[in-house]
Amino acid sequence: MSEINNSPPKDAVDTNQIIEERRAKLTKLREAGNAFPNDFERKDLAQEMHDKYGELDKERLQEVQSSATVAGRIMLKRVMGKASFATIQDMSGQIQLYINNEGIGEEEHSAFKHWDLGDIVGATGVLFKTKTGELSIRVSALRLLTKSLRPLPEKFHGLTDQEQRFRQRYVDLIVTPEARKNFQTRSKAIQILRTFFTDRGYLEVETPMMQSIPGGATAKPFITHHNALDMQLYLRVAPELYLKRLVVGGFEKVFEINRNFRNEGISTRHNPEFTMLEFYEAYRDYRYLMDLTETMIRELAEACTGSSQITYQGQAIDFAKPFQRLTMAEAINTHNKIYTRENLQDPEFLRQELTKRKVLTYPTDGLGMLQLKLFEDTTEEKLIEPTFIVAHPTDVSPLARSNDEQPELTDRFELFIAGREIANGFSELNDPEDQANRFKNQAEAKAQGDDEAMFYDSDYIRALEYGMPPTAGEGIGIDRLIMLLTDSASIREVILFPQMRSE
RNA sequence: GGGCGGUUAGCUCAGCUGGUAGAGCAGUGGACUUUUAAUCCAUUUGUCGCGGGUUCGACCCCCGCACCGCCUACCA
């Protein structure tokens, strides 16, 4: 199981007639000279040509005689005797080449006719418009830059096999425009978030991914081993405790966008490694974070989709209007009228309801915990429009500050959009003695078999003992946010190389 | 982890209560000097996911396994 197959594949295992034929063509190219030239200088991008010349009419284009030097992969090819068309694709888009004997000579044109879809070419020529008005390049020089040995997926249907799309993302990116677009949106979104924080005076930092004590979230970690130190290490489940150490150190506004690793299930919403944004700001509280989060998500949606109203899987979501803020009891009541203000405050009633709904409860569960369980079972998935849920039980929030009036609750919120948790933030617990007790409770739970419970982190306590200013902190699951912005049903649509079983 | 579905040519897909496979695209040859998934003529390609079983005979029925997808559980 754990053995890595490091031997090269056996010959002729993965080949077919098409590949054989292309190999033969490559062999001829090698014989004729350098089959993999490196001296072609691309000067223009397809999209830039459309932007610059797409609006000009045929006659105007004829007058200006603008030339272009482009390169890209042949996606479509239409050969008609003495003239041919090819559609090539580069990082910006596609443009059509018009190739004929007058432009490059009969010999070169004949050679082109044997090139294949997927081959990478470079071309120079003059821009013109065809009789149907498509901007094209009348090619005067054409070179084959890289021979492609494997046939591309069918030109019209593309790649529909999900497995292959994810395993061979490089092919998916060649033939699936939506896939390219999703990852371009992802890149843009992360760039915007980065600017959002740096513009506000936050310092971007990187904290350990390999930790001797994994902390900051209740989750099962991956375990690894460092040979030279002969030491067990965990891949981090969250950066939280390190970021707060930095707040202790005087970096009063910090953020990190990086990977977390959780050794749990894989699904359309879970990948073992996922990207998390966490940010901390001293002298703020959780209410401030809610305001900040609203602004952030609103701006992000506008910048990425052009509108603060989006559609996710057929559901309309409006980021323009103020996000709702509800306690769990209020949210349950709003979406389930059988639960009232009165009976939601009755632990015995809640216990009975949960038993009826086949949700496991423990005798130690207090009112807050019972409300949380009922909330998760009845209400979470109904929170389509952005909704902040506030005041989580202290039991399930070991790093959050207790509420001054109701110490069994915390100054915490979770943001739900489209029925999913998108953000989690709170006023940080900066009382070292309270935190030490919370860790003790977690460690006891772990000893009793809860493998998601936290470890006791005595260095973190030591840091708090130096004094951490009152601070608010938040984490946002970036992949899920990108799913919303790209209307993706699966997290695999927004992670370039999602985790798969080995082939 | 549990349930359901899928796996047939490089790709997209057909395949009849069981008689060992087809189409389109791609490829190859030919026609065609403004095509748009170009078109027209001809033509090649398969461990039918893997391993067992039933049967005279299995892509098809049965059992097991692998991988994928969807739902579900844990979670972000």
Side-chain angles (χ1 to χ4, degrees), chain A residues 175-336:
Chain A
V175 300
T176 316
E178 302 79 45
R180 281 198 297 278
K181 187 157 181 296
N182 283 353
F183 291 106
Q184 284 160 351
T185 300
R186 181 183 175 116
S187 174
K188 187 174 183 186
I190 289 173
Q191 190 193 322
I192 287 165
L193 289 171
R194 193 161 264 138
T195 308
F196 183 89
F197 285 104
T198 51
D199 280 356
R200 284 168 173 74
Y202 281 73
L203 186 71
E204 181 171 12
V205 297
E206 291 173 277
T207 61
M209 301 234 184
M210 302 171 79
Q211 306 177 344
S212 53
I213 300 173
T218 48
K220 278 176 245 173
F222 285 93
I223 300 174
T224 186
H225 184 262
H226 190 283
N227 288 343
L229 296 176
D230 188 21
M231 176 182 174
Q232 177 167 283
L233 287 169
Y234 299 87
L235 301 188
R236 77 177 188 192
V237 295
E240 173 155 355
L241 300 184
Y242 283 94
L243 292 171
K244 285 192 280 194
R245 284 172 169 97
L246 296 178
V247 177
V248 170
F251 288 155
E252 293 163 356
K253 297 179 179 185
V254 289
F255 76 102
E256 176 165 8
I257 298 173
N258 230 325
R259 223 67 66 81
N260 288 349
F261 307 85
R262 298 194 183 172
N263 206 340
E264 289 160 2
I266 294 179
S267 77
T268 49
R269 287 179 286 278
H270 300 84
N271 195 63
E273 52 181 311
F274 62 100
T275 300
M276 188 80 158
L277 159 69
E278 285 206 11
F279 53 98
Y280 292 81
E281 180 165 345
Y283 312 109
R284 297 290 192 186
D285 70 1
Y286 75 115
R287 292 175 196 283
Y288 172 82
L289 290 184
M290 286 193 274
D291 294 338
L292 189 70
T293 304
E294 258 190 73
T295 306
M296 181 202 310
I297 290 181
R298 198 169 290 140
E299 286 182 8
L300 188 64
E302 275 167 15
C304 290
T305 70
S307 167
S308 51
Q309 278 115 36
I310 65 162
T311 301
Y312 182 70
Q313 304 293 296
Q315 301 165 316
I317 296 171
D318 187 356
F319 294 120
K321 59 186 185 193
F323 296 7
Q324 283 197 76
R325 300 182 183 194
L326 302 171
T327 64
M328 272 176 211
E330 286 165 350
I332 296 168
N333 172 249
T334 303
H335 293 274
N336 310 269

Side-chain angles (χ1 to χ4, degrees), chain A residues 40 42 44-46 49-50 67-80 82-90 93-100 103-104 109 112 115-116 119-130 134-145:
Chain A
F40 182 82
R42 185 258 296 277
D44 301 292
L45 291 174
M49 297 300 96
H50 289 291
S67 77
T69 297
V70 297
R73 193 182 292 277
I74 302 176
M75 301 304 290
L76 292 170
K77 190 166 158 252
R78 296 175 285 278
V79 175
M80 298 168 301
K82 295 194 179 68
S84 301
F85 289 90
T87 302
I88 65 163
Q89 176 171 290
D90 64 23
Q94 299 188 334
I95 194 157
Q96 179 169 266
L97 305 181
Y98 176 69
I99 298 147
N100 63 6
I104 61 170
H109 188 200
F112 164 78
W115 296 357
D116 294 295
D119 287 353
I120 293 167
V121 302
T124 297
V126 172
L127 288 153
F128 76 107
K129 278 195 174 172
T130 64
E134 178 165 351
L135 185 69
S136 308
I137 296 172
R138 191 187 305 274
V139 173
S140 55
L142 185 65
R143 289 178 71 187
L144 178 55
L145 302 177

